[in-house]
Amino acid sequence: SDRTRDIDEKYHCVAWAIGKKDGWWWPKKQFGYHWPEGLPLEPLNKESVENFVRAFESEGFVRCDNGEFEVGFEKVAIYVSNTNVPKHAARSLPSGAWTSKLGDDEDIEHASLDVLEGYGFGRAKVFLKRANPLFVEQVEG
């Protein structure tokens, strides 16, 4: 994985996966955290996948089967723990690689989703996509 941006504490992985840099998106009842209006705030380590899916849906994403590159779509992967609690989110890039924000540390680019597995992030198990015209087919040659 390669660092793509210096440390920035103003946003973290969910905001970054959505494409925003306007705060800490997490369903936590604490000053400085943002969560879409109408969605429940949840206790730490008891967050639900469905709540996260609904948050991404509020930004134009829809559920899909996998994180494979799809022409015309950007994708998001939600990483969950063994007990199905959301721990992290990553966003696909037009190159076919992925990008993540590591807490309040730096943004990184990683070639695959499984690169982050085993570091307290859980596994990439839930996928969403939204139309993005920048995601065109990569032509080799």
Side-chain angles (χ1 to χ4, degrees), residues 53-96:
V53 167
R54 289 176 62 204
F56 281 105
E57 286 173 344
S58 77
E59 293 291 325
F61 287 89
V62 295
R63 279 190 92 146
C64 61
D65 293 334
N66 57 56
E68 293 175 14
F69 183 84
E70 200 173 327
V71 176
F73 290 92
E74 66 180 323
K75 292 194 174 183
V76 163
I78 300 173
Y79 288 70
V80 300
S81 69
N82 291 338
T83 55
N84 216 35
V85 173
K87 294 292 180 188
H88 182 66
R91 173 172 37 97
S92 65
L93 295 169
S95 66

Side-chain angles (χ1 to χ4, degrees), residues 23-63:
W24 284 63
W25 280 56
W26 204 263
K28 189 173 181 178
K29 189 176 184 178
Q30 184 175 322
F31 179 77
Y33 285 81
H34 170 79
W35 202 240
E37 195 170 328
L39 295 183
L41 300 179
E42 299 172 309
L44 194 61
N45 296 318
K46 296 196 184 310
E47 300 92 346
S48 68
V49 167
E50 197 51 44
N51 197 14
F52 275 67
V53 167
R54 289 176 62 204
F56 281 105
E57 286 173 344
S58 77
E59 293 291 325
F61 287 89
V62 295
R63 279 190 92 146

Side-chain angles (χ1 to χ4, degrees), residues 1-5 16 91-102 106-112 115-116:
S1 63
D2 296 318
R3 186 166 90 172
T4 55
R5 193 176 310 269
W16 182 248
R91 173 172 37 97
S92 65
L93 295 169
S95 66
W98 292 82
T99 182
S100 286
K101 178 78 165 65
L102 303 180
E106 63 266 5
D107 310 335
I108 64 165
E109 186 172 316
H110 41 107
S112 67
V115 168
L116 297 183

